[in-house]
DNA sequence: TCGTCTCTCCAAAGCGGTTTGGAAAATTGG
DNA sequence: CCAATTTTCCAAACCGCTTTGGAGAGACGA
């Protein structure tokens, strides 16, 4: 059923039917009712592509998933983020398209996506420090919003981000307040902006209590369970092991907990742990009381906010850049306690 | 830059330019070269919507993410699955669209997606036993393929699935061969088809050694870490606790391990554990040697296969239903050992 | 030299909507 | 009752591409 046959069935012109359905005022209420009823009866839906052609909008937002090779790690937050974003997008009649792109032809794909008119806007995921995609998108002139920020960017751009520096500063300070001085940081990849900022916050808090950072207590890699385990084992084997560890993700934290137990220690007593918690639906930090003390910020909620902001950027192309800072909450769980007295 | 202006620039008709770019033989090699060069020079890309309108194909495949409420759990496999699928889709020029849909208006959304002509085909995720979406899609007449199967379906349909029953039968048998007779099953939600089948396999293997199933050793829920922990604690507190546990996911298995340790027992010695492992990129089962003995089947690979099969279904609308069975491999890790002698 | 084939290329008709610029009909005001 | 509005509807152009049905130009054989 297309507009033409629907109009014929009603004995009206396509114009009138189109207007009736799209809520234009140039059509009487009686006619509008009649048209709407018929549309429902015939299960009529305007063809997306035709509508898009005519209006110049695709009502689709893209999320580009980078992946340099077959074995690239998928970001665990992907599912929840998309869940939050699609829900918000659906409310405004938008769909989300996922495009996978190899590192090397980022440029090409973004340009093509725009030239093809396939999408109205783009969500940029996982920005690195000085991310090259930002100037690229500025150049292309397609609405976009970044999930996170990119240190070192001079040009303005729209973003939604958690205050990673502050949250890790607070977390570290929480530990120093408890008397900890040897604090490990099991961080994400530090060319990623979020990890870069978390490290800054950590360093600032250490500096505030006059502790110099120790390279042996720092590491940076993909945030897996095994990584958390391995690095914790390494740190606990040091002559001067940490009494507390900061973790960049729940998964690493689970590995950290395992390592602590395997060393015959008790988490929260011998070694305190604070982790960042994205509040993933399939990886909850405990049920009633949190297992880990954590800096918590729902990535799902972030997805919804990004989607809404992107839509307003699309609606108003020369809107000033949107900059939306989210604060992580510091929730206290069972994994932290006062620094053990030096024996 | 659109076809018209490109043609004008070249002094050719739109027809010729279109044909030159799409590889039709009615155009001389010299002209084709000239056209292609110009297309590159002007960075011309045919508009997706216009092309779709003209050809009647959208070159988009949808994946519907069900979600009944705000707090619905996102399936942890989502990211890897989409990664595998989009990669395969991209090879054939397809994009993937994610649509979120509330349980209650599944019907409406599928029908609309088809009527709107927004997508050429659909991937159905997470089928339940007797899933109502399958007859619905048959009725609508849109190409689709199911990730998993649906017990109790009479109508034929296309699917790609892991042989869940066999793999859990083998896993259970592996344990009975080691002398285990008290074996717990910490299963996924059993209205989901995969969980239903795994339970069947488990029961079959127990029956083979004459062991009756014990309701106290069975449970079914969303597969979280906390769930694995809680149920393991419960089972280990029984008068007659299990000596082995089967887990439906890595996440639950991690909780199971934690519970075993918290009870002062050793996994692989006091309690054996086998888990299903979807080989998620962010949740690897150990690095060199597997932590858990596991039935392993890459969900990422499954995504790629589903995508390819769906594309062939789209290309050939009256293709016979595709039924592709994947076998999980049983990899032996450090979490299993002979049944401890009854003391 | 002329009809017949190929080779190239093109004008125009869709695909299914939206939107502009009127025109006919109904309403209002004097 | 008639002119001036307002209301209601429509024909046709347009969005950017593909594809059908030729047409013109050389090449070829007779």
């Amino acid at each position: 059923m297309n507009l033409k046959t629907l109009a014929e069935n009603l004995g009206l012109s396509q114009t009138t039917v189109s207007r009736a359905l799209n809520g234009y005022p140039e059509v009487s209420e009686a006619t509008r009712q009649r048209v709407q009823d018929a549309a429902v009866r015939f299960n009529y839906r305007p063809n997306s592509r035709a509508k898009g052609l005519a209006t110049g909008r695709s009502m689709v937002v893209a999320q580009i998933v980078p992946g340099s090779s077959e074995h690239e790690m998928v970001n665990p937050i992907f599912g929840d983020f998309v869940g939050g974003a699609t829900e918000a997008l659906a409310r405004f009649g938008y769909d989300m398209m996922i495009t996978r792109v190899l590192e090397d032809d980022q440029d090409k794909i973004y340009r093509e996506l725009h030239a093809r008119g396939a999408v109205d806007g783009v969500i940029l995921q996982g920005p690195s420090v000085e991310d090259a995609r930002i100037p690229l998108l500025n150049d292309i002139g397609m609405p976009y919003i970044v999930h996170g920020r990119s240190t070192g960017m001079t040009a303005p751009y729209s973003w939604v981000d958690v205050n990673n520096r502050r949250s890790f500063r607070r977390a570290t300070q929480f530990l120093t307040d408890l008397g900890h001085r040897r604090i490990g940081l099991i961080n994400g990849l530090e060319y990623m902006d979020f990890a870069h900022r978390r490290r800054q916050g950590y360093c600032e808090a250490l500096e505030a209590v006059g502790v110099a950072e120790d390279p042996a207590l720092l590491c940076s890699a993909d945030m897996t369970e095994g990584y958390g385990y391995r690095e914790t084992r390494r740190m606990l084997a040091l002559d001067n092991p940490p009494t507390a560890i900061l973790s960049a993700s729940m998964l690493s934290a689970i590995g950290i907990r395992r390592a602590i137990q395997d060393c015959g220690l008790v988490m929260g007593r011998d070694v305190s742990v604070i982790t960042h918690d994205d509040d993933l639906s399939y990886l909850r930090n405990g049920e009633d009381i949190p297992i880990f003390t954590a800096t918590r910020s729902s990535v799902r909620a972030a997805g919804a906010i990004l989607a809404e902001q992107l839509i307003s950027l699309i609606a108003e192309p020369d809107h000033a850049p949107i900059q939306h800072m989210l604060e992580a909450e510091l929730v206290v769980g069972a994994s932290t306690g006062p620094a053990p007295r030096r024996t």
Side-chain angles (χ1 to χ4, degrees), chain A residues 36-96:
Chain A
Q36 282 177 341
D37 291 352
V40 169
R41 198 166 62 250
F42 292 118
N43 191 36
Y44 167 76
R45 309 276 169 192
N47 180 291
S48 311
R49 296 190 296 275
K51 188 163 187 161
L53 229 203
T55 58
R57 305 181 144 301
S58 61
M59 301 306 279
V60 174
V61 158
Q63 185 177 344
I64 277 88
V65 181
S68 48
S69 77
E70 170 88 20
H71 300 293
E72 179 78 6
M73 182 170 131
V74 170
N75 196 327
I77 68 168
F78 183 68
D80 272 75
F81 181 86
V82 168
T86 50
E87 191 177 296
L89 288 173
R91 280 206 302 280
F92 295 90
Y94 277 81
D95 284 313
M96 167 168 280

Side-chain angles (χ1 to χ4, degrees), chain A residues 214-288:
Chain A
D214 178 350
L217 297 184
L218 290 169
C219 54
S220 159
D222 262 337
M223 303 174 291
T224 63
E225 200 264 359
Y227 165 60
Y229 180 80
R230 208 178 328 113
E231 292 295 339
T232 305
R233 292 296 300 240
R234 180 183 63 72
M235 288 186 192
L236 292 180
L238 293 172
D239 288 342
N240 192 4
T243 62
I245 295 177
L246 278 171
S247 158
S249 90
M250 282 289 292
L251 279 171
S252 313
I254 289 173
I256 293 170
R257 174 178 65 192
R258 178 162 65 101
I260 291 171
Q261 290 184 333
D262 278 9
C263 290
L265 300 171
V266 174
M267 180 172 79
R269 190 193 67 191
D270 306 310
V271 185
S272 287
V273 174
I274 300 184
T275 182
H276 184 73
D277 174 11
D278 291 303
D279 205 20
L280 301 185
S281 60
Y282 60 86
L283 202 58
R284 286 273 138 76
N285 182 9
E287 322 218 293
D288 34 359

Side-chain angles (χ1 to χ4, degrees), chain A residues 74-305:
Chain A
V74 170
N75 196 327
I77 68 168
F78 183 68
D80 272 75
F81 181 86
V82 168
T86 50
E87 191 177 296
L89 288 173
R91 280 206 302 280
F92 295 90
Y94 277 81
D95 284 313
M96 167 168 280
M97 161 166 298
I98 308 287
T99 308
R100 190 182 159 72
V101 53
L102 300 166
E103 289 287 352
D104 9 331
D105 38 42
Q106 295 251 7
D107 231 81
K108 210 178 108 232
I109 294 284
Y110 282 104
R111 292 210 127 84
E112 177 178 322
L113 225 44
H114 186 240
R116 270 170 52 198
V119 301
D120 294 338
V122 165
I123 293 178
L124 214 67
Q125 201 66 257
S128 61
V129 174
E130 299 209 37
D131 198 303
R133 295 172 295 175
I134 293 174
L136 170 66
L137 280 165
N138 279 336
D139 180 42
I140 293 178
M142 172 162 55
Y144 72 95
I145 191 162
V146 184
H147 182 205
R149 276 168 292 172
S150 180
T151 301
M153 262 318 114
T154 51
Y157 60 98
S158 295
W159 52 261
V160 174
D161 195 11
V162 176
N163 198 337
N164 280 300
R165 202 172 77 188
R166 181 186 292 177
S167 66
F168 264 51
R169 191 183 334 119
R170 284 181 66 204
T172 309
Q173 191 194 331
F174 183 85
L175 291 170
T176 58
D177 285 352
L178 285 167
H180 295 274
R181 286 300 179 271
R182 292 284 291 165
I183 303 175
L185 173 63
I186 296 185
N187 206 0
L189 291 162
E190 287 181 356
Y191 64 80
M192 300 290 277
D193 194 77
F194 76 93
H196 177 75
R197 286 180 196 271
R198 287 179 186 171
R199 168 139 177 201
Q200 285 184 333
Y202 160 85
C203 290
E204 285 169 13
L206 284 188
E207 205 178 307
V209 291
V211 174
E213 51 189 283
D214 178 350
L217 297 184
L218 290 169
C219 54
S220 159
D222 262 337
M223 303 174 291
T224 63
E225 200 264 359
Y227 165 60
Y229 180 80
R230 208 178 328 113
E231 292 295 339
T232 305
R233 292 296 300 240
R234 180 183 63 72
M235 288 186 192
L236 292 180
L238 293 172
D239 288 342
N240 192 4
T243 62
I245 295 177
L246 278 171
S247 158
S249 90
M250 282 289 292
L251 279 171
S252 313
I254 289 173
I256 293 170
R257 174 178 65 192
R258 178 162 65 101
I260 291 171
Q261 290 184 333
D262 278 9
C263 290
L265 300 171
V266 174
M267 180 172 79
R269 190 193 67 191
D270 306 310
V271 185
S272 287
V273 174
I274 300 184
T275 182
H276 184 73
D277 174 11
D278 291 303
D279 205 20
L280 301 185
S281 60
Y282 60 86
L283 202 58
R284 286 273 138 76
N285 182 9
E287 322 218 293
D288 34 359
I289 60 158
I291 298 174
F292 297 103
T293 297
T295 56
R296 180 165 64 198
S297 176
S298 163
V299 78
R300 178 179 204 117
I305 292 171

Side-chain angles (χ1 to χ4, degrees), chain A residues 141 143 158 312-322:
Chain A
S158 295
S312 62
L313 284 171
I314 290 171
E316 230 180 303
D318 28 42
H319 194 293
I322 291 172

